[in-house]
Amino acid sequence: IYYMIYNEVGRVIVKLNPILDVSVIIRHESTSFSFLDKNNYWVDEQLKGLVTAPNSNIITFSTENQPYCDLHGFNQDYYRSIKPKMYEVCVFGGTFDNLHLGHKFILSVMALVASRQLQVWISDSDALLANKKNKLFLESYKIREYRVRSFLEKLGVLSILETHPLLDAYGPTLTHDYDSLVVSTETLKGGYKVNEEREKLGKKPMNLLIVDVITPANEADKMSSTVIRGYFFSKTKDNEDIANFLHLELNELFISMGVDPLEHFVLMQDLKLKFCEVWRSYHGLLHIYSLLSKLKETEDKNNLRIKVAIWFHDVIYLPWRPDNEEKSIEYFEEFCKKSSPKTLSEEDQRLVKFYIQRTKVHFNRDFNEIPSQYWNEINLFLDLDLSLIHI
């Protein structure tokens, strides 16, 4: 029961309601729009996590014609339910960095209301991105477009979707006519400005569909890309030199491996995000930084296998699980399938997996399973991994 309620001026109110009984999450049979696929599987794990966690929140919507509102302090008669496919062409512009639930709710509104065409314009110019905080952790245009398209594909609207680079604040809104311009609370002033400029040009103002997320937390806890990038930056102790070093090292590593250019930046970002998980303390970005820094002081500073092992040996880390090394190896295997590294042979991959496995038993230096020519190499890798542990 996913209710999206808006009033006569087109304001969408998205209400987060605490809910524990997830059995009420159902498809609305009168529309093809759904967060469940035809087999009743969740189409997006992040949305699933939102409603299955204890004391979780859920956004609800209704496609009924009857007014419905459970927003405390609001007059129910002032709201009416949003209708599926109510606009032919719907357009929205934004940065879409580190695609999060707020983005997904806005995209979901668009998927529901657009009937013929859904246009998403994604910021891709210095003029729009120059003042973003923690720019080092800003995803590339390609990654942001990929995540937007992947999410909307799950909602079944890829056939009407268009994505474009947004090079200035107005994009196509002054030269093209659309039924609806979707804006968030933060970009509402921009929506008004667009219509002011359109009126100056003698064009009809566009309908503004305003998505407003009402959160129970304070402003500091609001979901935003800026907050997420700030969190990533904090994982390097707010040290720009360390953050820049890691970014460049990982980029150079992927180039050295000959990773498929189509997968390069997406896989690179996913790997970085793994090391920013909230439960990591020792096994995070600073650990990777320390190992790479110490490797540079050795004769093997350019050893590709050791560098790969450093980045992947802790990629899966759950403190309560005994099989992190095995799961890290599985992640590495899947990575190789997706990226098709041209300079990392099957023998190299086998050695990297052996190195990762041996971090489970650092002090067992019996390496008879691999050729003796690699023993010094794995000894160095294990010594590096132990170098920051005081024993």
Side-chain angles (χ1 to χ4, degrees):
I1 312 174
Y2 180 106
Y3 286 98
M4 286 192 284
I5 306 148
Y6 75 109
N7 61 27
E8 275 75 11
V9 296
R11 183 179 180 82
V12 173
I13 300 293
V14 181
K15 170 67 175 176
L16 295 178
N17 291 312
I19 186 168
L20 296 178
D21 182 8
V22 299
S23 64
V24 301
I25 311 305
I26 58 174
R27 285 182 294 175
H28 195 286
E29 297 301 330
S30 65
T31 174
S32 60
F33 179 83
S34 173
F35 282 115
L36 299 175
D37 67 13
K38 61 183 179 181
N39 297 315
N40 287 340
Y41 292 124
W42 283 91
V43 298
D44 188 85
E45 288 300 313
Q46 193 177 16
L47 290 172
K48 177 183 178 182
L50 179 73
V51 297
T52 56
N55 301 317
S56 59
N57 295 311
I58 184 172
I59 290 181
T60 57
F61 82 93
S62 173
T63 55
E64 300 293 338
N65 293 324
Q66 307 301 330
Y68 182 90
C69 183
D70 63 350
L71 298 177
H72 300 296
F74 289 91
N75 183 349
Q76 292 191 20
D77 294 334
Y78 193 57
Y79 296 89
R80 56 192 172 89
S81 297
I82 199 167
K83 297 175 183 177
K85 313 301 180 187
M86 61 186 295
Y87 295 115
E88 280 199 10
V89 182
C90 199
V91 64
F92 179 74
T95 306
F96 292 102
D97 183 45
N98 292 291
L99 194 74
H100 53 68
L101 284 171
H103 294 134
K104 291 176 181 180
F105 294 140
I106 292 175
L107 293 172
S108 299
V109 172
M110 295 182 68
L112 181 66
V113 301
S115 63
R116 184 171 62 85
Q117 192 176 84
L118 191 161
Q119 290 193 15
V120 181
W121 292 73
I122 304 170
S123 303
D124 188 31
S125 70
D126 291 339
L128 296 176
L129 302 176
N131 295 323
K132 295 289 184 182
K133 291 183 179 179
N134 298 314
K135 278 183 60 180
L136 190 62
F137 288 92
L138 185 70
E139 295 176 320
S140 70
Y141 173 84
K142 181 180 177 182
I143 294 177
R144 290 179 281 127
E145 182 189 37
Y146 171 84
R147 298 199 194 284
V148 167
R149 293 187 68 88
S150 295
F151 177 70
L152 288 173
E153 181 179 14
K154 294 175 181 178
L155 295 185
V157 294
L158 205 55
S159 61
I160 65 169
L161 172 65
E162 288 186 7
T163 52
H164 303 278
L166 181 64
L167 303 179
D168 59 67
Y170 294 104
T173 57
L174 301 185
T175 56
H176 293 70
D177 292 324
Y178 302 101
D179 295 290
S180 174
L181 174 63
V182 177
V183 294
S184 64
T185 308
E186 289 80 3
T187 61
L188 176 57
K189 290 182 179 179
Y192 290 148
K193 183 65 176 175
V194 165
N195 276 339
E196 288 177 9
E197 295 299 317
R198 286 179 63 86
E199 289 185 6
K200 292 179 183 178
L201 295 170
K203 292 182 175 291
K204 182 181 177 181
M206 287 189 289
N207 295 308
L208 296 182
L209 194 57
I210 309 162
V211 179
D212 182 19
V213 177
I214 304 174
T215 62
N218 58 44
E219 185 70 16
D221 294 327
K222 182 181 69 175
M223 176 68 76
S224 76
S225 299
T226 302
V227 171
I228 294 173
R229 289 195 303 274
Y231 170 75
F232 294 158
F233 192 51
S234 72
K235 289 297 183 176
T236 64
K237 295 208 171 194
D238 297 331
N239 188 313
E240 190 167 340
D241 290 336
I242 293 177
N244 190 54
F245 172 87
L246 290 170
H247 177 79
L248 292 176
E249 280 288 318
L250 187 55
N251 189 51
E252 289 175 6
L253 177 67
F254 276 33
I255 293 173
S256 299
M257 293 170 66
V259 169
D260 183 347
L262 294 175
E263 299 289 346
H264 181 123
F265 292 107
V266 174
L267 293 172
M268 181 174 156
Q269 185 70 4
D270 285 344
L271 187 59
K272 282 196 294 186
L273 297 185
K274 280 292 183 183
F275 289 100
C276 292
E277 292 164 335
V278 294
W279 52 80
R280 289 178 184 259
S281 178
Y282 174 79
H283 302 84
L285 287 175
L286 290 178
H287 178 53
I288 301 298
Y289 170 75
S290 298
L291 297 187
L292 291 173
S293 298
K294 289 184 178 294
L295 178 64
K296 285 184 175 293
E297 300 171 2
T298 73
E299 294 181 357
D300 282 306
K301 60 183 178 182
N302 296 318
N303 187 300
L304 183 60
R305 286 183 295 271
I306 295 180
K307 286 185 176 182
V308 173
I310 286 174
W311 277 103
F312 284 91
H313 78 288
D314 282 329
V315 66
I316 301 297
Y317 178 71
L318 299 170
W320 55 90
R321 291 191 63 119
D323 59 349
N324 289 309
E325 291 77 14
E326 290 79 8
K327 292 299 181 183
S328 292
I329 289 172
E330 290 178 9
Y331 182 97
F332 175 66
E333 290 175 335
E334 187 63 26
F335 168 87
C336 290
K337 289 179 183 178
K338 290 180 179 179
S339 64
S340 304
K342 295 180 177 61
T343 60
L344 202 66
S345 67
E346 290 186 8
E347 176 65 8
D348 289 332
Q349 293 176 32
R350 186 181 74 83
L351 288 167
V352 168
K353 289 188 283 186
F354 183 78
Y355 295 176
I356 294 173
Q357 182 63 44
R358 280 310 177 93
T359 60
K360 194 166 190 170
V361 284
H362 287 86
F363 297 108
N364 181 351
R365 300 299 173 100
D366 179 4
F367 305 135
N368 288 324
E369 297 175 49
I370 61 174
S372 59
Q373 66 194 76
Y374 300 114
W375 290 3
N376 287 338
E377 186 173 296
I378 187 173
N379 270 314
L380 172 60
F381 168 64
L382 294 176
D383 288 343
L384 288 172
D385 198 35
L386 286 171
S387 62
L388 299 179
I389 302 176
H390 299 287
I391 300 175

